[in-house]
Amino acid sequence: MAHSSKAHTHSLVTLLPLAVATLVVLTPFIWMVSLAFTSADQAFSASNLIPESPTTANFVTALTSGGLGRAMLNSSAVAVIVVVSNCLFASMAGYAFAKLRFRGDTIVFGVLISTAMIPVSVTLIPLFLITKGIPLAGGNDLLGVGGFGLLNSIGGLALPYLVTPLNIFLSRQYFLEFPDELAEAARTDGAGELRIFFQIYLPLAKPLIATLGVFAFTGIWDDFLWPLVITNTDSMNTVQLALAKFLTSGNVQYGPVLAGAVLVTVPVLVVFAFNQRAFISGLADGGIKG
Amino acid sequence: MPETTTLTPTQAGPPADPVAARRPARRGSATRRTRRIAVLFILPAAAYVVIFHLFPLAYGLYLSFTNYDPQSRSGPQPVGISNYTKILTDPVFLSSLAVTGKYVLYVLPGAVGLALVLALLVNRSRRGIGFFRTALYVPHVVSLTAVSMVWLWLYSPQGWFNQILGRFGAEPKQFLLESSSALGAVAVMRIWKALGGNMVLLLAGLQSISRELYEAAAVDGAGRWAQFRYVTLPGLRGMLTYVVVTDIVYLAQSFGEIYVLTRGGPVDSTTTVNFLIYKQAFQFNDMGTASAMGFVLFALISAVAFVSLRQMMRTRS
Amino acid sequence: MNIRRTLTAVTAIGLSAVLAACGTGSPSGSGGNSGPKELTVWFPGNSQVEIDLVTKTLVPKFEQQTGSKVTVTYVDWPNLSPKLTTAFASGTTPDVWGHGTAAAAGFAANDRVLALDDRINALADKDDFGGLLDQGVVDGKHYLMPLSGTGTLLVYRKDLLQGAGVDPATLTSWESVYDAARKLKTKARSGMLIATSPIADEQSFIALLRSASGKMLSDDGKTAEFNSPAGVQALTYMVNLYQGDGAVAAGVSDDYLSRPPAQQPLALGTAAITQFGPSQLLQLVKAKPDLADKLGVLAPPTLGGQPGKAYGGMGTGLFISKDSKNQDLAWKFLEYMASPEVSNQYAEVIGSLPVRQSARSSAYVTKNPLLTTFLAAQPAYIGNPNVPAWVQVRDVLSRYLQQALAGKVAPKDALDKAAQEVKPLLEGS
């Protein structure tokens, strides 16, 4: 994208406000990082940002006694499943809504979206029962009876997020902007609809994939209530559960929690930083302008 | 025939961008074969959503007409509409609705307005802009429990907010312990946390506006403000609608920040509907009442989301 | 086509999942596929030293002794409810779980936990638990085995009292403590802070109420009696600490106990007297060793000349699930955890009061002089009533206590309204 010389002076004028705004927004986070380097007995006792005697002990505690490493692996595994599944199924559905119209699509679509409007507390128990009743998993028979289904498993952790209605919506928005001529041309060449999607549209939809990926990843990383109820062993801990280990009621271990929180934020930020351009253009309506 | 349905924004509920709405309907190719293919494409997602989202929803609706107590061995017993009549006359529930409404109104303008300002600031392609975008995105992804500790401190009598107040000679204030200020204090943290996510979405909206429109406006002698008013805002409408509606949907279900900062207090001044539902469901084991509350909230959210969609779509034309 | 086949498979699996979910209406019982020698146990809490002790030392020893396999999960207090609720709904409750006494009546009324009377009566040394076992009694039956003991007492800063010319030996009544607090109060310091955050406010209230010879509920548990003159006296006392000209404390509803040691009012010197439980006090002293010699503990003060009571007794207890397939092994586990050696080791690690009287002469107790008063106060400890709707009743009461403490409603009105509102809850139970 070319910039005029006018845009250059413009950028200098706005750089200062941008720097100030970033600093203000980041302040509580900087505080968090500072506290993560502060020893337990000094936490919250001083109001200066730079710790008097910085220590990495909190990070050591967070990594060794909280099982944070294992938890990050678990959450990553769940995130990968959720990302792949959403990129496949949500984008297929979104594509169909955008390109292949059929009777009643508005209603189906409205119903799909409305599921985002009910608090999790209401649907938690039925969802739990379904997860426990997945056939042929965790000792269950064909009817889903007898065992524990997908409770306390990576699959169970991913189950409620495999296809998110909001992702279907985003995919639809994205594919709406694709010229139909691509498909027309392929159809004239005798290509099937599946091939048109998987070989023409999907490869062009990398920004969309980045968008769905970032959303799924951040969502999974932040999840608490679902992992809490369906996991029973430390080996299945997710990041938020592992962090909560330091939140002993009445005796919060501030240092390790904050150090842990800093550590678990890094992967998400890396995912975002490397994808932000594609992520944003995936959200921007016309992914393939010009 | 399928030709009769059009996926226009107002009908669909979710917003479409203006370009899509103006697109001429392309129907000629919608043969029976493509319809079958469409069903096939949607089927996995739809089947999944039916099983894992709609079935729990329907089950929850059923529970709202029962006295279900998970601790009890007798299972759900039908009680008619008594859960609904009970909660609609319950001052605690009604106050939680008011708190939720107030909270949405507190957070929404800040979370969208400030995010728009940030989006305008980072909407450029100079070197290192990715750093600013990522930095501003940090609050959105950092663990809520962890940041809440910092915010609890910021709001404490020794915290920064009181240090600033103290400079002006004011008495230290217990922001989270006074019913007059607690909800506002929670809202400030939520705005902070929501900024990054909204900024990214609005930035995407800004980037979708064609550069030629600005150039044309400049040729017509439009100033910076006029460009913003007549090019940026209309071009942003689709994404703005999306951000506002999804924010309403999520804010109306606020729970996490309440749970970590105030636990609904003081004197219920921060008890949102979703916080009350959680308490009702998991502390009192009263799943019937909790579900009924959930569906009243559901109805209100759908109504507000629908009305704001209509409103925002109408102002466009 | 490959994809099509995959889609069909996915849909088929999904549909059968729905059918399956419909078919799991009745609980299948815990440990459905576990052998006869397996036990699952949920402990409440999150303390790393406790987790290490239980999972690395105590449980392996038990497994060795009994040749069993015990799976332990620690669930922090606030998360225990959603976990147990979903477990009840799906029949996946553990064999043994720990909880406070407040939940006992609900579990018992719904036939979820095993009555332990025969087993407890068969214990040779059951008198060693003092009155602790009685706190787990619902409708005349024992359901809980005590895991830890606790108590909430007033703790003061010796130096601050001395500076204000207050002799701690004279602080034997709530009235004298209040007078002292008035002397101790400065612009930057509260004379005395008692716990007034939601839930803790109810514990402070019941201690004062019972000290004034009042009662929370009638003996049959069906009527509220907390709005008696004794109740009004108790609540008025609490309100006067924070409101009006005679206020001796700032920061009503502040949950100071959950703040880190460095932020504790006693450590900061922003209060001269505050309430503490033994484990929180020991943690404070551990984090701030210089405070150890500066702190003193008051025995439960009297109110209106009546003998003083304090909130305390059983902190946590263990339940056995009615659905457990290994109830005998589960009982062995409870017995093991409450055995003299194990329970004392446990108390020392978490800093609680030992559940056994015989542990008073243990090294743990004798090397921590701050515990002496907590132990001596044991006969004065009282708990909450064990009625099924207690958690809800407490929530209602706490809501009105908060309104009164904020100075928005007069104590008498608040208690009357609360009594009115809990009526259907108590009658329905």
Side-chain angles (χ1 to χ4, degrees), chain B residues 105-304:
Chain B
L105 290 178
Y106 283 2
V107 177
L108 198 60
V112 178
L114 292 175
L116 181 56
V117 173
L118 293 181
L120 289 166
L121 288 174
V122 294
N123 183 26
R124 67 212 17 243
S125 57
R126 58 174 288 149
R127 262 180 92 82
I129 199 70
F131 165 78
F132 286 102
R133 288 176 187 170
T134 309
L136 289 168
Y137 195 67
V138 164
H140 183 66
V141 292
V142 62
S143 153
L144 180 66
T145 22
V147 288
S148 73
M149 289 173 189
V150 174
W151 280 85
L152 280 171
W153 186 86
L154 290 176
Y155 282 135
S156 75
Q158 293 84 25
W160 274 10
F161 288 111
N162 272 314
Q163 286 178 17
I164 294 168
L165 279 182
R167 296 256 162 82
F168 298 98
E171 289 280 300
K173 211 168 143 52
Q174 292 265 35
F175 295 96
L176 292 168
L177 292 180
E178 284 167 31
S179 27
S180 55
S181 57
L183 192 65
V186 177
V188 168
M189 182 179 105
R190 178 65 187 251
I191 290 174
W192 174 76
K193 197 122 177 38
L195 277 181
N198 283 352
M199 174 199 76
V200 165
L201 290 167
L202 292 170
L203 175 61
L206 288 174
Q207 299 204 336
S208 71
I209 301 169
S210 158
R211 200 159 279 280
E212 284 113 54
L213 286 175
Y214 286 104
E215 280 157 16
V219 169
D220 290 348
R224 204 162 290 289
W225 168 250
Q227 285 187 20
F228 179 74
R229 173 74 187 78
Y230 296 105
V231 180
T232 310
L233 273 187
L236 207 54
R237 184 153 279 123
M239 189 52 93
L240 211 50
T241 310
Y242 175 80
V243 168
V244 168
V245 171
T246 48
D247 270 12
I248 290 175
V249 169
Y250 288 129
L251 285 172
Q253 298 179 57
S254 291
F255 171 77
E257 66 271 35
I258 310 283
Y259 188 78
V260 293
L261 287 184
T262 63
R263 303 256 155 158
V267 203
D268 283 340
S269 62
T270 59
T271 298
T272 56
V273 178
N274 203 8
F275 187 80
L276 196 61
I277 291 174
Y278 181 86
K279 234 163 77 165
Q280 205 66 241
F282 298 118
Q283 279 177 20
F284 307 156
N285 294 308
D286 187 353
M287 208 48 81
T289 309
S291 303
M293 288 175 172
F295 280 93
V296 172
L297 182 66
F298 176 83
L300 289 172
I301 296 178
S302 324
V304 172

Side-chain angles (χ1 to χ4, degrees), chain A residues 124-153 155-157 159-160 226 229-230 232, chain B residues 51-52 55, chain C residues 16-33 86-93 325:
Chain A
L124 189 68
I125 287 185
L127 205 52
F128 189 90
L129 293 174
I130 296 175
T131 310
K132 186 188 167 223
I134 296 288
L136 302 177
N140 276 347
D141 59 20
L142 203 61
L143 289 171
V145 187
F148 292 100
L150 286 180
L151 296 183
N152 206 32
S153 71
L157 286 167
L159 206 53
W226 181 246
V229 298
I230 75 150
N232 283 323
Chain B
I51 297 163
F52 293 99
F55 172 73
Chain C
S16 42
V18 167
L19 293 173
C22 299
T24 50
S26 64
S28 58
S30 71
N33 56 351
T86 40
F88 284 136
S90 62
T92 50
T93 42
K325 297 238 163 59

Side-chain angles (χ1 to χ4, degrees), chain B residues 36-37 40-41 43-45 47-48 50-52 55 59 68-74 90-92 152-153 156-159 171-172 174 177-180 259 262-263 265-269 276 278-287, chain C residues 4 7 10-11 13-18 21-22 27 78-79 81-83 85-86 88-90 103 105-107 110-113 187 198-199 250-255 259 263 268 270 321-323 391-392 395 399 402-403 406 408 421:
Chain B
R36 218 176 325 121
I37 298 288
L40 183 69
F41 269 50
L43 201 62
Y48 169 84
V50 166
I51 297 163
F52 293 99
F55 172 73
Y59 190 74
Y68 185 46
D69 171 359
Q71 216 178 76
S72 154
R73 289 185 187 271
S74 50
D90 176 9
V92 178
L152 280 171
W153 186 86
S156 75
Q158 293 84 25
E171 289 280 300
Q174 292 265 35
L177 292 180
E178 284 167 31
S179 27
S180 55
Y259 188 78
T262 63
R263 303 256 155 158
V267 203
D268 283 340
S269 62
L276 196 61
Y278 181 86
K279 234 163 77 165
Q280 205 66 241
F282 298 118
Q283 279 177 20
F284 307 156
N285 294 308
D286 187 353
M287 208 48 81
Chain C
R4 200 173 302 202
L7 298 186
V10 166
T11 320
I13 290 172
L15 285 175
S16 42
V18 167
C22 299
N79 307 329
S81 298
K83 239 179 126 66
T85 307
T86 40
F88 284 136
S90 62
F107 295 151
N110 288 305
D111 197 27
R112 290 294 185 178
V113 287
K187 199 160 188 299
I199 296 188
V252 69
S253 309
D254 184 14
D255 187 11
R259 285 203 237 130
Q263 285 275 87
L268 293 169
T270 54
S321 168
K322 194 84 180 248
D323 299 309
V391 179
Q392 242 166 316
D395 189 70
R399 179 146 34 85
Q402 287 297 316
Q403 294 184 4
K408 292 189 174 152
E421 204 172 315

Side-chain angles (χ1 to χ4, degrees), chain A residues 146-233:
Chain A
F148 292 100
L150 286 180
L151 296 183
N152 206 32
S153 71
I154 297 287
L157 286 167
L159 206 53
Y161 310 102
L162 291 179
V163 181
T164 317
L166 217 56
N167 286 341
I168 302 178
F169 170 75
L170 287 171
S171 311
R172 167 182 170 269
Q173 290 302 93
Y174 191 78
F175 285 118
L176 269 177
E177 286 308 305
F178 270 50
D180 286 351
E181 286 72 20
L182 284 175
E184 301 291 338
R187 276 194 199 104
T188 325
D189 291 349
E193 295 293 332
L194 279 174
R195 245 192 75 193
I196 293 175
F197 176 70
F198 282 106
Q199 290 187 356
I200 299 174
Y201 281 94
L202 203 56
L204 286 171
K206 280 191 191 111
L208 173 72
I209 306 290
T211 306
L212 299 188
V214 169
F215 275 144
F217 199 80
T218 50
I220 290 302
W221 220 248
D222 227 17
D223 199 14
F224 182 76
L225 191 58
W226 181 246
L228 170 74
V229 298
I230 75 150
T231 65
N232 283 323
T233 52

Side-chain angles (χ1 to χ4, degrees), chain C residues 27 45 154 204 237 252 284 341:
Chain C
L154 291 171
S204 299
Y237 184 92
V252 69
L284 174 65
E341 197 190 329

